Amino acid sequence: MPPRPSRFALYNWFPEDGADLVHPDDLAAFAAMGPPATVFGVGADAAGWVLLDAGQASFRVRADLLRPLPAPRYWVGDTVRFIKSGVPQRGIVARVGWHFKEAAPMYYVSQDGKRLKKTYHEQDLSPTSAESP
């Protein structure tokens, strides 16, 4: 897993915004990625392209639609604790999204390689080491 990014942003691109905003080699995968409310780590700007990191995938885009965000407390790959059905659980942050109404990150967590249906807010999660329950 690459190191945690130091800058974060939304990039709410839709096809009607223009295919020229996403690198041609990344366009199909970026369009198929799903909801636009993904929090991205923002990487280097090279040759006019900004690198967006979604944790398990990265994409090159033009800076036009970048909307900077504060750093989320957790990032993709972080091990977290949470309560599920009244029982303390441990999982891995699989994706970080953005809740527009609350103007806050929301977290998608996986257990045993399967993403849970529920989304979590920062107050629902706590950090843990991989060894603790």
Side-chain angles (χ1 to χ4, degrees):
M1 177 93 29
R4 179 186 173 95
S6 60
R7 295 185 310 148
F8 298 87
L10 288 175
Y11 198 82
N12 288 335
W13 175 85
F14 295 92
E16 55 269 20
D17 293 321
D20 59 318
L21 294 177
V22 180
H23 193 281
D25 294 342
D26 300 338
L27 184 60
F30 192 77
M33 197 174 92
T38 297
V39 174
F40 292 100
V42 180
D45 185 343
W49 298 103
V50 175
L51 185 64
L52 297 182
D53 172 21
Q56 288 119 3
S58 59
F59 307 96
R60 292 161 290 180
V61 299
R62 300 283 184 210
D64 303 41
L65 300 178
L66 276 180
R67 181 174 155 200
L69 294 174
R73 183 172 182 189
Y74 306 103
W75 187 239
V76 177
D78 288 352
T79 302
V80 292
R81 288 186 299 196
F82 57 96
I83 304 296
K84 180 179 171 187
S85 303
V87 178
Q89 302 280 318
R90 188 179 60 180
I92 305 289
V93 174
R95 179 175 163 251
V96 181
W98 188 252
H99 194 292
F100 286 97
K101 188 174 181 179
E102 295 179 12
M106 57 186 178
Y107 300 91
Y108 298 84
V109 176
S110 65
Q111 282 185 310
D112 301 320
K114 295 181 183 179
R115 196 156 98 180
L116 304 177
K117 292 180 184 178
K118 178 178 171 51
T119 57
Y120 295 88
H121 295 348
E122 286 185 356
Q123 66 269 20
D124 301 326
L125 302 173
S126 60
T128 184
S129 67
E131 294 81 33
S132 67

